[in-house]
Structure formats: structure tokens, C-alpha cells
Amino acid sequence: MKNKLSVFFAILALACLSASAVWAQSDTHKIVKPGDLKWEDVASMPKGAKIAVIEGPVSEAVPFTFRLKFPAN
């Protein structure tokens, strides 16, 4: 029984690992390096605040991804 359970968990682990590798190779996955980001000023925030849009249009009601930088203090 213990041997069968060990084999079951080993097969389950391999299945999960192979599935995640397939999902990571889909066309929708996007990797952006920090040097590739285009930082712009944000008019509606304090002076020195910057935004970098990674994916999607911020002006539409659709999913989007962005990063914000704020000045110290």
C-alpha cells in the first residue's frame, strides 16, 4: 500500500510539473525586463510619480498591468 501511494504521488508530481511547463509556453505569456519599461510622468499624482504600462490600454475597461514609482517620502 505504501509503495502504491508513493508511485501515485510521484506520477501526480510529474503531471503537475509537465502541465505548468506547457502553460508557461502559451502565446499569452509575456516577460518584460526592467530595462524595457517606458516610464512616464503621472499628471494626477504628486510630482515625481512615474508609470510604466506593461500590458493593455489603461484608458479602457479591460485588464491591464502597470507599475508605479513614487518619489522618496
Side-chain angles (χ1 to χ4, degrees), residues 9-66:
F9 282 120
I11 292 172
L12 181 64
L14 287 173
C16 290
L17 290 173
S18 63
S20 64
V22 171
W23 290 329
Q25 294 176 5
S26 69
D27 292 335
T28 60
H29 186 78
K30 185 176 182 181
I31 297 175
V32 179
K33 296 179 183 177
D36 296 339
L37 297 176
K38 181 181 174 189
W39 293 96
E40 299 176 356
D41 292 328
V42 184
S44 62
M45 293 191 164
K47 185 176 180 178
K50 304 264 186 194
I51 186 170
V53 179
I54 297 173
E55 177 181 36
V58 181
S59 60
E60 297 179 18
V62 296
F64 57 87
T65 307
F66 64 93

